[in-house]
PDB file of all heavy atoms in Angstrom:
ATOM      1  N   TYR J  31       7.890  12.205  -6.992  1.00  0.00           N
ATOM      2  CA  TYR J  31       7.328  12.322  -8.249  1.00  0.00           C
ATOM      3  C   TYR J  31       5.883  11.842  -8.161  1.00  0.00           C
ATOM      4  O   TYR J  31       5.582  10.810  -7.538  1.00  0.00           O
ATOM      5  CB  TYR J  31       8.106  11.327  -9.160  1.00  0.00           C
ATOM      6  CG  TYR J  31       9.517  11.681  -9.565  1.00  0.00           C
ATOM      7  CD1 TYR J  31      10.504  11.145  -8.638  1.00  0.00           C
ATOM      8  CD2 TYR J  31       9.881  12.500 -10.516  1.00  0.00           C
ATOM      9  CE1 TYR J  31      11.852  11.490  -8.914  1.00  0.00           C
ATOM     10  CE2 TYR J  31      11.135  12.885 -10.745  1.00  0.00           C
ATOM     11  CZ  TYR J  31      12.157  12.361  -9.981  1.00  0.00           C
ATOM     12  OH  TYR J  31      13.509  12.744 -10.170  1.00  0.00           O
ATOM     13  N   TYR J  33       2.006  11.663 -10.614  1.00  0.00           N
ATOM     14  CA  TYR J  33       1.583  11.688 -12.075  1.00  0.00           C
ATOM     15  C   TYR J  33      -0.033  11.633 -12.019  1.00  0.00           C
ATOM     16  O   TYR J  33      -0.610  10.963 -11.090  1.00  0.00           O
ATOM     17  CB  TYR J  33       2.106  10.538 -12.700  1.00  0.00           C
ATOM     18  CG  TYR J  33       3.578  10.195 -12.666  1.00  0.00           C
ATOM     19  CD1 TYR J  33       4.052   9.578 -11.477  1.00  0.00           C
ATOM     20  CD2 TYR J  33       4.471  10.626 -13.596  1.00  0.00           C
ATOM     21  CE1 TYR J  33       5.479   9.253 -11.342  1.00  0.00           C
ATOM     22  CE2 TYR J  33       5.869  10.421 -13.527  1.00  0.00           C
ATOM     23  CZ  TYR J  33       6.308   9.769 -12.280  1.00  0.00           C
ATOM     24  OH  TYR J  33       7.644   9.614 -12.136  1.00  0.00           O
ATOM     25  N   TYR J  35      -2.962  10.294 -14.786  1.00  0.00           N
ATOM     26  CA  TYR J  35      -3.306   9.610 -15.936  1.00  0.00           C
ATOM     27  C   TYR J  35      -4.820   9.596 -16.147  1.00  0.00           C
ATOM     28  O   TYR J  35      -5.606   9.756 -15.125  1.00  0.00           O
ATOM     29  CB  TYR J  35      -2.788   8.197 -15.840  1.00  0.00           C
ATOM     30  CG  TYR J  35      -1.420   7.979 -15.818  1.00  0.00           C
ATOM     31  CD1 TYR J  35      -0.660   7.972 -14.680  1.00  0.00           C
ATOM     32  CD2 TYR J  35      -0.655   7.606 -17.081  1.00  0.00           C
ATOM     33  CE1 TYR J  35       0.746   7.716 -14.618  1.00  0.00           C
ATOM     34  CE2 TYR J  35       0.743   7.487 -17.052  1.00  0.00           C
ATOM     35  CZ  TYR J  35       1.433   7.435 -15.854  1.00  0.00           C
ATOM     36  OH  TYR J  35       2.710   7.286 -15.804  1.00  0.00           O
ATOM     37  N   GLN J  37      -7.712   6.994 -18.048  1.00  0.00           N
ATOM     38  CA  GLN J  37      -7.863   5.633 -18.662  1.00  0.00           C
ATOM     39  C   GLN J  37      -9.161   5.575 -19.494  1.00  0.00           C
ATOM     40  O   GLN J  37     -10.256   5.850 -18.988  1.00  0.00           O
ATOM     41  CB  GLN J  37      -8.016   4.518 -17.634  1.00  0.00           C
ATOM     42  CG  GLN J  37      -7.997   3.130 -18.308  1.00  0.00           C
ATOM     43  CD  GLN J  37      -8.534   2.017 -17.431  1.00  0.00           C
ATOM     44  OE1 GLN J  37      -8.868   2.301 -16.341  1.00  0.00           O
ATOM     45  NE2 GLN J  37      -8.628   0.699 -18.057  1.00  0.00           N
ATOM     46  N   GLY J  40      -9.577   1.369 -25.178  1.00  0.00           N
ATOM     47  CA  GLY J  40      -8.780   1.367 -26.482  1.00  0.00           C
ATOM     48  C   GLY J  40      -7.557   2.194 -26.393  1.00  0.00           C
ATOM     49  O   GLY J  40      -6.801   2.233 -27.328  1.00  0.00           O
ATOM     50  N   GLY J  42      -5.684   2.554 -23.226  1.00  0.00           N
ATOM     51  CA  GLY J  42      -4.787   2.285 -21.990  1.00  0.00           C
ATOM     52  C   GLY J  42      -4.822   3.458 -20.991  1.00  0.00           C
ATOM     53  O   GLY J  42      -5.820   4.258 -20.929  1.00  0.00           O
ATOM     54  N   LEU J  43      -3.686   3.746 -20.416  1.00  0.00           N
ATOM     55  CA  LEU J  43      -3.542   4.853 -19.554  1.00  0.00           C
ATOM     56  C   LEU J  43      -2.695   5.934 -20.262  1.00  0.00           C
ATOM     57  O   LEU J  43      -1.609   5.522 -20.810  1.00  0.00           O
ATOM     58  CB  LEU J  43      -2.782   4.510 -18.275  1.00  0.00           C
ATOM     59  CG  LEU J  43      -3.715   3.697 -17.241  1.00  0.00           C
ATOM     60  CD1 LEU J  43      -3.522   2.220 -17.462  1.00  0.00           C
ATOM     61  CD2 LEU J  43      -3.425   4.048 -15.852  1.00  0.00           C
ATOM     62  N   LEU J  45      -0.829   9.777 -19.990  1.00  0.00           N
ATOM     63  CA  LEU J  45      -0.260  10.799 -18.881  1.00  0.00           C
ATOM     64  C   LEU J  45      -0.792  12.122 -19.335  1.00  0.00           C
ATOM     65  O   LEU J  45      -0.697  12.633 -20.406  1.00  0.00           O
ATOM     66  CB  LEU J  45       1.271  10.688 -19.010  1.00  0.00           C
ATOM     67  CG  LEU J  45       2.011  11.639 -18.049  1.00  0.00           C
ATOM     68  CD1 LEU J  45       1.767  11.189 -16.593  1.00  0.00           C
ATOM     69  CD2 LEU J  45       3.433  11.573 -18.361  1.00  0.00           C
ATOM     70  N   TYR J  48       2.570  15.693 -14.848  1.00  0.00           N
ATOM     71  CA  TYR J  48       3.385  15.110 -13.860  1.00  0.00           C
ATOM     72  C   TYR J  48       4.073  16.134 -12.999  1.00  0.00           C
ATOM     73  O   TYR J  48       4.225  17.318 -13.455  1.00  0.00           O
ATOM     74  CB  TYR J  48       4.323  14.098 -14.407  1.00  0.00           C
ATOM     75  CG  TYR J  48       5.367  14.587 -15.336  1.00  0.00           C
ATOM     76  CD1 TYR J  48       6.633  14.908 -14.880  1.00  0.00           C
ATOM     77  CD2 TYR J  48       5.002  14.735 -16.582  1.00  0.00           C
ATOM     78  CE1 TYR J  48       7.639  15.285 -15.792  1.00  0.00           C
ATOM     79  CE2 TYR J  48       6.003  15.262 -17.529  1.00  0.00           C
ATOM     80  CZ  TYR J  48       7.287  15.508 -17.038  1.00  0.00           C
ATOM     81  OH  TYR J  48       8.262  16.023 -17.875  1.00  0.00           O
ATOM     82  N   TYR J  50       7.611  16.761 -10.512  1.00  0.00           N
ATOM     83  CA  TYR J  50       8.894  16.181  -9.878  1.00  0.00           C
ATOM     84  C   TYR J  50       9.358  16.990  -8.733  1.00  0.00           C
ATOM     85  O   TYR J  50      10.496  16.890  -8.386  1.00  0.00           O
ATOM     86  CB  TYR J  50       9.910  16.256 -10.985  1.00  0.00           C
ATOM     87  CG  TYR J  50      10.070  17.489 -11.879  1.00  0.00           C
ATOM     88  CD1 TYR J  50      11.032  18.441 -11.586  1.00  0.00           C
ATOM     89  CD2 TYR J  50       9.203  17.664 -12.957  1.00  0.00           C
ATOM     90  CE1 TYR J  50      11.174  19.655 -12.301  1.00  0.00           C
ATOM     91  CE2 TYR J  50       9.309  18.858 -13.697  1.00  0.00           C
ATOM     92  CZ  TYR J  50      10.267  19.800 -13.355  1.00  0.00           C
ATOM     93  OH  TYR J  50      10.279  20.920 -14.138  1.00  0.00           O
ATOM     94  N   PHE J  90      -6.483   8.433 -12.816  1.00  0.00           N
ATOM     95  CA  PHE J  90      -5.633   7.774 -11.768  1.00  0.00           C
ATOM     96  C   PHE J  90      -4.424   8.690 -11.427  1.00  0.00           C
ATOM     97  O   PHE J  90      -3.789   9.270 -12.346  1.00  0.00           O
ATOM     98  CB  PHE J  90      -5.099   6.423 -12.317  1.00  0.00           C
ATOM     99  CG  PHE J  90      -6.247   5.413 -12.464  1.00  0.00           C
ATOM    100  CD1 PHE J  90      -6.716   5.052 -13.663  1.00  0.00           C
ATOM    101  CD2 PHE J  90      -6.617   4.719 -11.223  1.00  0.00           C
ATOM    102  CE1 PHE J  90      -7.761   4.102 -13.764  1.00  0.00           C
ATOM    103  CE2 PHE J  90      -7.608   3.714 -11.376  1.00  0.00           C
ATOM    104  CZ  PHE J  90      -8.213   3.393 -12.598  1.00  0.00           C
ATOM    105  N   ARG J  94       5.872   7.615  -7.862  1.00  0.00           N
ATOM    106  CA  ARG J  94       7.059   6.760  -8.253  1.00  0.00           C
ATOM    107  C   ARG J  94       7.654   6.344  -6.964  1.00  0.00           C
ATOM    108  O   ARG J  94       7.826   7.044  -5.957  1.00  0.00           O
ATOM    109  CB  ARG J  94       8.115   7.662  -8.957  1.00  0.00           C
ATOM    110  CG  ARG J  94       9.253   6.870  -9.479  1.00  0.00           C
ATOM    111  CD  ARG J  94      10.142   7.754 -10.282  1.00  0.00           C
ATOM    112  NE  ARG J  94      11.380   7.069 -10.705  1.00  0.00           N
ATOM    113  CZ  ARG J  94      12.365   7.696 -11.344  1.00  0.00           C
ATOM    114  NH1 ARG J  94      12.317   8.974 -11.623  1.00  0.00           N
ATOM    115  NH2 ARG J  94      13.378   6.915 -11.773  1.00  0.00           N
ATOM    116  N   VAL J  99      13.566   2.937  -9.324  1.00  0.00           N
ATOM    117  CA  VAL J  99      13.943   2.135 -10.403  1.00  0.00           C
ATOM    118  C   VAL J  99      12.913   2.229 -11.517  1.00  0.00           C
ATOM    119  O   VAL J  99      13.061   1.726 -12.612  1.00  0.00           O
ATOM    120  CB  VAL J  99      14.261   0.684 -10.077  1.00  0.00           C
ATOM    121  CG1 VAL J  99      15.508   0.594  -9.234  1.00  0.00           C
ATOM    122  CG2 VAL J  99      13.036   0.065  -9.415  1.00  0.00           C
ATOM    123  N   GLU J 101       9.112   1.833 -11.013  1.00  0.00           N
ATOM    124  CA  GLU J 101       7.696   1.322 -10.773  1.00  0.00           C
ATOM    125  C   GLU J 101       6.991   2.597 -10.284  1.00  0.00           C
ATOM    126  O   GLU J 101       7.428   3.459  -9.514  1.00  0.00           O
ATOM    127  CB  GLU J 101       7.685   0.292  -9.729  1.00  0.00           C
ATOM    128  CG  GLU J 101       8.313  -0.962 -10.152  1.00  0.00           C
ATOM    129  CD  GLU J 101       9.735  -1.101  -9.817  1.00  0.00           C
ATOM    130  OE1 GLU J 101      10.185  -0.637  -8.704  1.00  0.00           O
ATOM    131  OE2 GLU J 101      10.553  -1.503 -10.701  1.00  0.00           O
ATOM    132  N   GLN J 102       5.771   2.675 -10.773  1.00  0.00           N
ATOM    133  CA  GLN J 102       4.739   3.630 -10.297  1.00  0.00           C
ATOM    134  C   GLN J 102       3.699   2.851  -9.548  1.00  0.00           C
ATOM    135  O   GLN J 102       3.270   1.736  -9.943  1.00  0.00           O
ATOM    136  CB  GLN J 102       4.206   4.508 -11.332  1.00  0.00           C
ATOM    137  CG  GLN J 102       5.216   5.369 -11.964  1.00  0.00           C
ATOM    138  CD  GLN J 102       4.693   6.295 -13.001  1.00  0.00           C
ATOM    139  OE1 GLN J 102       3.406   6.455 -13.090  1.00  0.00           O
ATOM    140  NE2 GLN J 102       5.550   6.952 -13.791  1.00  0.00           N
ATOM    141  N   PHE J 104      -0.218   3.163  -8.054  1.00  0.00           N
ATOM    142  CA  PHE J 104      -1.486   4.022  -8.393  1.00  0.00           C
ATOM    143  C   PHE J 104      -2.498   4.034  -7.309  1.00  0.00           C
ATOM    144  O   PHE J 104      -2.611   3.159  -6.339  1.00  0.00           O
ATOM    145  CB  PHE J 104      -2.207   3.309  -9.556  1.00  0.00           C
ATOM    146  CG  PHE J 104      -1.395   3.522 -10.897  1.00  0.00           C
ATOM    147  CD1 PHE J 104      -0.342   2.751 -11.220  1.00  0.00           C
ATOM    148  CD2 PHE J 104      -1.820   4.586 -11.801  1.00  0.00           C
ATOM    149  CE1 PHE J 104       0.380   3.041 -12.418  1.00  0.00           C
ATOM    150  CE2 PHE J 104      -1.167   4.747 -12.970  1.00  0.00           C
ATOM    151  CZ  PHE J 104       0.033   4.024 -13.293  1.00  0.00           C
ATOM    152  N   GLY J 105      -3.174   5.130  -7.298  1.00  0.00           N
ATOM    153  CA  GLY J 105      -4.337   5.363  -6.385  1.00  0.00           C
ATOM    154  C   GLY J 105      -5.566   4.566  -6.942  1.00  0.00           C
ATOM    155  O   GLY J 105      -5.449   3.977  -8.052  1.00  0.00           O
TER     156      GLY J 105
ATOM    157  N   TYR N  32      13.282   0.271 -19.909  1.00  0.00           N
ATOM    158  CA  TYR N  32      12.755  -0.391 -18.702  1.00  0.00           C
ATOM    159  C   TYR N  32      11.257  -0.676 -19.030  1.00  0.00           C
ATOM    160  O   TYR N  32      10.558   0.251 -19.521  1.00  0.00           O
ATOM    161  CB  TYR N  32      12.910   0.569 -17.477  1.00  0.00           C
ATOM    162  CG  TYR N  32      12.585  -0.066 -16.193  1.00  0.00           C
ATOM    163  CD1 TYR N  32      13.406  -1.015 -15.658  1.00  0.00           C
ATOM    164  CD2 TYR N  32      11.526   0.284 -15.361  1.00  0.00           C
ATOM    165  CE1 TYR N  32      13.271  -1.716 -14.436  1.00  0.00           C
ATOM    166  CE2 TYR N  32      11.210  -0.306 -14.184  1.00  0.00           C
ATOM    167  CZ  TYR N  32      12.136  -1.310 -13.704  1.00  0.00           C
ATOM    168  OH  TYR N  32      11.931  -1.889 -12.419  1.00  0.00           O
ATOM    169  N   TYR N  36       1.456  -4.349 -15.535  1.00  0.00           N
ATOM    170  CA  TYR N  36       0.556  -4.013 -14.488  1.00  0.00           C
ATOM    171  C   TYR N  36      -0.750  -4.893 -14.664  1.00  0.00           C
ATOM    172  O   TYR N  36      -1.115  -5.196 -15.732  1.00  0.00           O
ATOM    173  CB  TYR N  36       0.148  -2.597 -14.551  1.00  0.00           C
ATOM    174  CG  TYR N  36       1.185  -1.605 -13.988  1.00  0.00           C
ATOM    175  CD1 TYR N  36       2.231  -1.151 -14.823  1.00  0.00           C
ATOM    176  CD2 TYR N  36       1.064  -1.102 -12.680  1.00  0.00           C
ATOM    177  CE1 TYR N  36       3.179  -0.353 -14.256  1.00  0.00           C
ATOM    178  CE2 TYR N  36       1.992  -0.234 -12.141  1.00  0.00           C
ATOM    179  CZ  TYR N  36       3.082   0.146 -12.966  1.00  0.00           C
ATOM    180  OH  TYR N  36       4.002   0.968 -12.380  1.00  0.00           O
ATOM    181  N   LYS N  38      -4.930  -5.013 -13.597  1.00  0.00           N
ATOM    182  CA  LYS N  38      -5.985  -4.069 -13.077  1.00  0.00           C
ATOM    183  C   LYS N  38      -7.244  -4.788 -12.997  1.00  0.00           C
ATOM    184  O   LYS N  38      -7.716  -5.324 -13.977  1.00  0.00           O
ATOM    185  CB  LYS N  38      -6.096  -2.895 -14.017  1.00  0.00           C
ATOM    186  CG  LYS N  38      -7.108  -1.853 -13.484  1.00  0.00           C
ATOM    187  CD  LYS N  38      -7.304  -0.668 -14.508  1.00  0.00           C
ATOM    188  CE  LYS N  38      -8.351   0.247 -13.888  1.00  0.00           C
ATOM    189  NZ  LYS N  38      -9.633  -0.379 -13.540  1.00  0.00           N
ATOM    190  N   GLY N  43      -7.193   0.769  -8.945  1.00  0.00           N
ATOM    191  CA  GLY N  43      -6.022   1.222  -9.733  1.00  0.00           C
ATOM    192  C   GLY N  43      -5.314   0.029 -10.127  1.00  0.00           C
ATOM    193  O   GLY N  43      -5.218  -1.059  -9.601  1.00  0.00           O
ATOM    194  N   PRO N  44      -4.391   0.361 -11.149  1.00  0.00           N
ATOM    195  CA  PRO N  44      -3.512  -0.668 -11.630  1.00  0.00           C
ATOM    196  C   PRO N  44      -2.510  -1.067 -10.536  1.00  0.00           C
ATOM    197  O   PRO N  44      -2.008  -0.210  -9.756  1.00  0.00           O
ATOM    198  CB  PRO N  44      -2.696  -0.039 -12.792  1.00  0.00           C
ATOM    199  CG  PRO N  44      -3.685   1.027 -13.302  1.00  0.00           C
ATOM    200  CD  PRO N  44      -4.311   1.543 -12.038  1.00  0.00           C
ATOM    201  N   PHE N  46       1.342  -2.902  -9.812  1.00  0.00           N
ATOM    202  CA  PHE N  46       2.629  -3.353 -10.412  1.00  0.00           C
ATOM    203  C   PHE N  46       2.723  -4.842 -10.219  1.00  0.00           C
ATOM    204  O   PHE N  46       2.509  -5.379  -9.174  1.00  0.00           O
ATOM    205  CB  PHE N  46       3.739  -2.615  -9.777  1.00  0.00           C
ATOM    206  CG  PHE N  46       5.038  -3.170 -10.125  1.00  0.00           C
ATOM    207  CD1 PHE N  46       5.516  -2.938 -11.448  1.00  0.00           C
ATOM    208  CD2 PHE N  46       5.815  -3.809  -9.160  1.00  0.00           C
ATOM    209  CE1 PHE N  46       6.713  -3.442 -11.843  1.00  0.00           C
ATOM    210  CE2 PHE N  46       7.013  -4.283  -9.522  1.00  0.00           C
ATOM    211  CZ  PHE N  46       7.615  -4.089 -10.797  1.00  0.00           C
ATOM    212  N   SER N  49       8.706  -6.259 -13.613  1.00  0.00           N
ATOM    213  CA  SER N  49       9.488  -5.424 -14.528  1.00  0.00           C
ATOM    214  C   SER N  49      10.733  -6.140 -15.090  1.00  0.00           C
ATOM    215  O   SER N  49      11.188  -7.176 -14.559  1.00  0.00           O
ATOM    216  CB  SER N  49       9.806  -4.114 -13.841  1.00  0.00           C
ATOM    217  OG  SER N  49      10.703  -4.365 -12.784  1.00  0.00           O
ATOM    218  N   PHE N  89      -1.752  -4.495 -18.488  1.00  0.00           N
ATOM    219  CA  PHE N  89      -1.112  -3.383 -19.239  1.00  0.00           C
ATOM    220  C   PHE N  89       0.426  -3.606 -19.199  1.00  0.00           C
ATOM    221  O   PHE N  89       1.051  -3.756 -18.250  1.00  0.00           O
ATOM    222  CB  PHE N  89      -1.437  -1.960 -18.622  1.00  0.00           C
ATOM    223  CG  PHE N  89      -2.862  -1.572 -18.666  1.00  0.00           C
ATOM    224  CD1 PHE N  89      -3.720  -1.751 -17.568  1.00  0.00           C
ATOM    225  CD2 PHE N  89      -3.353  -1.042 -19.894  1.00  0.00           C
ATOM    226  CE1 PHE N  89      -4.986  -1.363 -17.614  1.00  0.00           C
ATOM    227  CE2 PHE N  89      -4.711  -0.668 -19.982  1.00  0.00           C
ATOM    228  CZ  PHE N  89      -5.564  -0.707 -18.927  1.00  0.00           C
ATOM    229  N   ARG N  95      14.659   5.647 -18.891  1.00  0.00           N
ATOM    230  CA  ARG N  95      14.903   6.215 -17.601  1.00  0.00           C
ATOM    231  C   ARG N  95      16.007   7.320 -17.477  1.00  0.00           C
ATOM    232  O   ARG N  95      16.265   7.968 -16.514  1.00  0.00           O
ATOM    233  CB  ARG N  95      15.497   5.018 -16.769  1.00  0.00           C
ATOM    234  CG  ARG N  95      14.400   4.035 -16.425  1.00  0.00           C
ATOM    235  CD  ARG N  95      14.891   2.953 -15.360  1.00  0.00           C
ATOM    236  NE  ARG N  95      15.818   2.049 -16.067  1.00  0.00           N
ATOM    237  CZ  ARG N  95      16.457   1.125 -15.400  1.00  0.00           C
ATOM    238  NH1 ARG N  95      16.189   0.866 -14.023  1.00  0.00           N
ATOM    239  NH2 ARG N  95      17.240   0.303 -16.112  1.00  0.00           N
ATOM    240  N   TYR N 100      11.998  11.740 -15.962  1.00  0.00           N
ATOM    241  CA  TYR N 100      11.243  11.845 -14.806  1.00  0.00           C
ATOM    242  C   TYR N 100      10.288  10.675 -14.526  1.00  0.00           C
ATOM    243  O   TYR N 100       9.309  10.774 -13.911  1.00  0.00           O
ATOM    244  CB  TYR N 100      10.321  13.181 -14.824  1.00  0.00           C
ATOM    245  CG  TYR N 100      11.230  14.425 -14.832  1.00  0.00           C
ATOM    246  CD1 TYR N 100      11.172  15.177 -16.036  1.00  0.00           C
ATOM    247  CD2 TYR N 100      11.947  14.775 -13.747  1.00  0.00           C
ATOM    248  CE1 TYR N 100      11.844  16.322 -16.111  1.00  0.00           C
ATOM    249  CE2 TYR N 100      12.701  15.921 -13.846  1.00  0.00           C
ATOM    250  CZ  TYR N 100      12.720  16.715 -14.940  1.00  0.00           C
ATOM    251  OH  TYR N 100      13.501  17.859 -14.997  1.00  0.00           O
ATOM    252  N   GLY N 101      10.790   9.433 -15.029  1.00  0.00           N
ATOM    253  CA  GLY N 101      10.032   8.278 -14.692  1.00  0.00           C
ATOM    254  C   GLY N 101       8.783   8.116 -15.452  1.00  0.00           C
ATOM    255  O   GLY N 101       7.960   7.338 -15.061  1.00  0.00           O
ATOM    256  N   LYS N 102       8.559   8.899 -16.452  1.00  0.00           N
ATOM    257  CA  LYS N 102       7.225   8.840 -17.186  1.00  0.00           C
ATOM    258  C   LYS N 102       7.147   7.398 -17.728  1.00  0.00           C
ATOM    259  O   LYS N 102       8.059   6.867 -18.371  1.00  0.00           O
ATOM    260  CB  LYS N 102       7.171   9.868 -18.248  1.00  0.00           C
ATOM    261  CG  LYS N 102       7.066  11.295 -17.691  1.00  0.00           C
ATOM    262  CD  LYS N 102       6.987  12.290 -18.793  1.00  0.00           C
ATOM    263  CE  LYS N 102       8.362  12.433 -19.520  1.00  0.00           C
ATOM    264  NZ  LYS N 102       8.410  13.485 -20.534  1.00  0.00           N
ATOM    265  N   LEU N 103       5.807   6.918 -17.712  1.00  0.00           N
ATOM    266  CA  LEU N 103       5.577   5.603 -18.224  1.00  0.00           C
ATOM    267  C   LEU N 103       4.670   5.829 -19.524  1.00  0.00           C
ATOM    268  O   LEU N 103       3.739   6.600 -19.538  1.00  0.00           O
ATOM    269  CB  LEU N 103       4.866   4.652 -17.267  1.00  0.00           C
ATOM    270  CG  LEU N 103       5.654   4.303 -16.135  1.00  0.00           C
ATOM    271  CD1 LEU N 103       4.868   3.399 -15.204  1.00  0.00           C
ATOM    272  CD2 LEU N 103       6.935   3.643 -16.479  1.00  0.00           C
ATOM    273  N   PHE N 105       1.965   3.583 -21.694  1.00  0.00           N
ATOM    274  CA  PHE N 105       1.299   2.331 -21.643  1.00  0.00           C
ATOM    275  C   PHE N 105       0.637   1.839 -22.922  1.00  0.00           C
ATOM    276  O   PHE N 105       0.367   2.638 -23.848  1.00  0.00           O
ATOM    277  CB  PHE N 105       0.062   2.536 -20.656  1.00  0.00           C
ATOM    278  CG  PHE N 105       0.435   2.573 -19.223  1.00  0.00           C
ATOM    279  CD1 PHE N 105       0.892   3.779 -18.657  1.00  0.00           C
ATOM    280  CD2 PHE N 105       0.330   1.510 -18.444  1.00  0.00           C
ATOM    281  CE1 PHE N 105       1.255   3.883 -17.308  1.00  0.00           C
ATOM    282  CE2 PHE N 105       0.701   1.513 -17.024  1.00  0.00           C
ATOM    283  CZ  PHE N 105       1.166   2.700 -16.521  1.00  0.00           C
ATOM    284  N   GLY N 106       0.563   0.468 -22.971  1.00  0.00           N
ATOM    285  CA  GLY N 106      -0.193  -0.138 -24.066  1.00  0.00           C
ATOM    286  C   GLY N 106      -1.672  -0.005 -23.694  1.00  0.00           C
ATOM    287  O   GLY N 106      -2.134   0.470 -22.690  1.00  0.00           O
ATOM    288  N   GLN N 107      -2.494  -0.523 -24.727  1.00  0.00           N
ATOM    289  CA  GLN N 107      -3.963  -0.418 -24.593  1.00  0.00           C
ATOM    290  C   GLN N 107      -4.588  -1.311 -23.628  1.00  0.00           C
ATOM    291  O   GLN N 107      -5.710  -1.206 -23.190  1.00  0.00           O
ATOM    292  CB  GLN N 107      -4.673  -0.593 -25.955  1.00  0.00           C
ATOM    293  CG  GLN N 107      -4.137   0.294 -27.124  1.00  0.00           C
ATOM    294  CD  GLN N 107      -2.986  -0.430 -27.892  1.00  0.00           C
ATOM    295  OE1 GLN N 107      -2.091  -1.049 -27.327  1.00  0.00           O
ATOM    296  NE2 GLN N 107      -3.170  -0.520 -29.219  1.00  0.00           N
TER     297      GLN N 107
END
Side-chain angles (χ1 to χ4, degrees):
Chain J
Y31 297 92
Y33 311 84
Y35 293 87
Q37 185 201 357
L43 287 92
L45 182 64
Y48 62 99
Y50 46 96
F90 291 101
R94 184 177 176 184
V99 294
E101 295 87 45
Q102 291 181 16
F104 286 81
Chain N
Y32 193 69
Y36 283 83
K38 186 185 179 305
F46 169 70
S49 62
F89 293 100
R95 290 188 289 177
Y100 297 113
K102 292 179 288 184
L103 297 180
F105 284 84
Q107 309 95 308

